């Protein structure tokens, strides 16, 4: 197995670090446009092989995609992150050009790869990748819902006073402060609805905190987060390369599912060796379905910016 991670910045390097520690591939290639950055970070990571006892080889490449040839998975994290006060949507102009050129280059050398899109605004970048590459829809997966769900579980655990790992909770819809939908009705603590532990007001607060979870970190750190984004991306890659068939909320191309078409949006999907295999129907109630339609409208408006 060979995995390429494009973008050796905060999120890309953390993703690669998680991938090598978990030995998800024989070989990982880290690519960046900035001279020396990917080589340096890759060498630093490879020097942890004997300390952390992993056998995955990791190398860096300054924009030479021939080194990525034959990759099974390509993770795209290249692009600018947001600064405090910025929305993910404001990144579109710069990041669309970057993602487009990266997809073109990576595809030349890895025509059979599955593409994982992390760069923001992620829903639109996933849609752009689908249109730009002409690849089958199952091979293009946007990562956002896994991260948002982990934030949802963190805030729920803090409110309930329990371990995050005892919770099941999912965020669907767009990966934006106003477009994501934390599904509080379906969230459970050891199989019991969280509404038995938290009041309606508390649940509302948890959902609100989740939606601005990224912005909260950006304000604190001064740039966007990387530990949880990197771990989320690696978890998605793991389900692909190990064919685990895990169900994760991911941004995928919808063709009638959840009442939407010609859009990439976050829904629960089965993730395996061929990419996303099928959409799981969570049977939303009318309020949730309405929120999903509104989220789709906002993401569609963003996608339309690409065409102008
Ligand atoms: P960063 O600035 O630390 O790293 C980005 C890297 O991309 C830089 O090293 C830069 O040199 C590189 N780059 C720029 N143009 C390139 C090109 N044409 N080819 C190869 N490399 C190129 O940014 P960070 O924090 O790693 O964030 C990366 C992206 O991920 C941002 O767009 C950010 O908004 C997004 N993000 C997405 C999340 C998600 O859940 N989908 C979560 C967190 C961040």
């Amino acid at each position: 197995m060979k995995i390429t991670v494009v973008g050796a910045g905060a999120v890309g390097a953390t993703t690669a670090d998680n991938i090598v520690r978990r030995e998800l591939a024989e070989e990982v290639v880290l690519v960046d446009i900035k001279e020396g950055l990917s080589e340096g970070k890759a060498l630093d990571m490879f020097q942890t092989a004997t300390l952390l006892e992993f056998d995955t080889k990791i190398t860096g490449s300054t924009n030479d995609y021939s080194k990525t040839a034959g990759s099974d998975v390509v993770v795209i994290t290249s692009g600018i992150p947001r600064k405090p006060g910025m929305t993910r949507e404001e990144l579109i102009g710069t990041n669309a050009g970057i993602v487009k050129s990266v997809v073109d280059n990576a595809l030349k050398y890895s025509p059979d790869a599955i593409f994982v899109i992390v760069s923001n605004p992620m829903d639109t970048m996933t849609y752009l990748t689908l249109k730009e590459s002409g690849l089958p829809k199952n091979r293009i997966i946007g990562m956002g819902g896994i991260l948002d769900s982990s934030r949802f579980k963190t805030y729920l655990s803090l409110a309930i006073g329990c371990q995050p790992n005892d919770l099941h909770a999912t965020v669907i819809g767009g990966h934006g402060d106003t477009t994501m939908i934390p599904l509080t009705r379906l969230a459970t603590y050891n199989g019991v609805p969280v509404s038995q532990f938290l009041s309606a007001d508390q649940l509302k607060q948890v959902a609100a905190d989740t939606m601005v979870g990224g912005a909260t970190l950006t304000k604190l750190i001064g740039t966007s987060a990387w530990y949880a984004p990197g771990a989320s991306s690696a978890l998605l890659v793991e389900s692909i390369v190990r064919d685990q068939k895990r169900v994760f909320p991911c941004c995928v191309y919808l063709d009638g599912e959840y009442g939407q078409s010609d859009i990439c949006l976050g829904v629960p999907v089965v993730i395996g060796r061929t990419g996303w295999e099928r959409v799981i129907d969570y049977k939303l109630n009318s309020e949730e379905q309405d929120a999903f339609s509104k989220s789709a409208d906002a993401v569609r408006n963003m996608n339309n910016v690409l065409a102008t």
Side-chain angles (χ1 to χ4, degrees):
M1 207 65 74
K2 180 169 175 177
I3 299 168
T4 288
V5 179
V6 184
V11 176
T14 311
T15 301
D17 189 34
N18 278 283
I19 288 172
V20 296
R21 283 172 191 245
R22 294 163 99 106
E23 296 184 311
L24 299 185
E26 281 75 44
E27 192 183 350
V28 173
V29 182
L30 190 58
V31 181
D32 203 282
I33 201 166
K34 200 169 164 199
E35 188 73 43
L37 182 72
S38 60
E39 287 88 344
K41 288 205 181 179
L43 186 58
D44 187 14
M45 263 179 243
F46 200 37
Q47 288 167 359
T48 68
T50 56
L51 307 171
L52 301 169
E53 298 183 355
F54 62 78
D55 286 329
T56 298
K57 184 182 176 202
I58 175 156
T59 54
S61 163
T62 302
N63 235 21
D64 177 1
Y65 282 81
S66 66
K67 300 201 172 127
T68 70
S71 290
D72 298 284
V73 181
V74 174
V75 184
I76 301 182
T77 76
S78 46
I80 52 167
R82 55 182 173 157
K83 296 284 172 216
M86 274 176 99
T87 65
R88 295 175 178 91
E89 288 75 11
E90 286 174 74
L91 308 173
I92 190 168
T94 309
N95 286 357
I98 293 174
V99 168
K100 214 167 149 182
S101 76
V102 166
V103 170
D104 287 348
N105 282 321
L107 250 187
K108 267 183 226 154
Y109 293 96
S110 301
D112 300 322
I114 290 164
F115 283 75
V116 172
I117 314 303
V118 182
S119 309
N120 275 318
M122 182 277 292
D123 305 292
T124 297
M125 294 302 117
T126 305
Y127 184 76
L128 171 71
T129 302
L130 185 103
K131 295 289 169 187
E132 181 67 18
S133 67
L135 288 176
K137 61 183 180 180
N138 298 68
R139 283 171 49 197
I140 297 171
I141 310 168
M143 196 297 292
I146 300 177
L147 171 66
D148 297 331
S149 300
S150 76
R151 288 176 175 157
F152 188 21
K153 283 181 260 190
T154 303
Y155 285 117
L156 277 172
S157 77
L158 292 170
I160 295 174
C162 70
Q163 294 296 332
N165 281 315
D166 286 338
L167 294 162
H168 278 279
T170 305
V171 176
I172 61 168
H175 177 59
D177 295 358
T178 55
T179 59
M180 70 179 77
I181 307 161
L183 292 173
T184 44
R185 181 181 63 92
L186 299 176
T188 58
Y189 169 29
N190 279 324
V192 179
V194 292
S195 57
Q196 293 197 20
F197 303 90
L198 297 174
S199 67
D201 279 351
Q202 283 176 307
L203 279 174
K204 242 187 196 167
Q205 188 59 51
V206 165
D209 289 344
T210 302
M211 293 172 80
V212 295
T216 300
L217 293 172
T218 303
K219 214 165 145 191
L220 289 168
I221 305 171
T223 185
S224 72
W226 57 88
Y227 290 116
S232 302
S233 303
L235 200 67
L236 174 54
V237 170
E238 181 176 32
S239 195
I240 297 169
V241 300
R242 297 204 166 135
D243 198 23
Q244 288 175 324
K245 319 276 189 209
R246 295 191 70 181
V247 175
F248 288 129
C250 292
C251 178
V252 301
Y253 186 77
L254 299 179
D255 195 9
E257 299 92 341
Y258 285 81
Q260 294 298 328
S261 296
D262 194 32
I263 191 166
C264 292
L265 212 54
V267 292
V269 286
V270 177
I271 301 286
R273 186 62 196 91
T274 56
W276 66 271
E277 298 182 352
R278 68 191 181 91
V279 173
I280 304 291
D281 185 358
Y282 268 14
K283 310 270 182 232
L284 302 183
N285 64 22
S286 60
E287 197 184 324
E288 292 155 354
Q289 188 59 54
D290 190 42
F292 193 79
S293 305
K294 286 201 177 99
S295 178
D297 289 346
V299 169
R300 203 168 268 116
N301 283 341
M302 183 58 47
N303 293 350
N304 289 338
V305 173
L306 287 178
T308 57

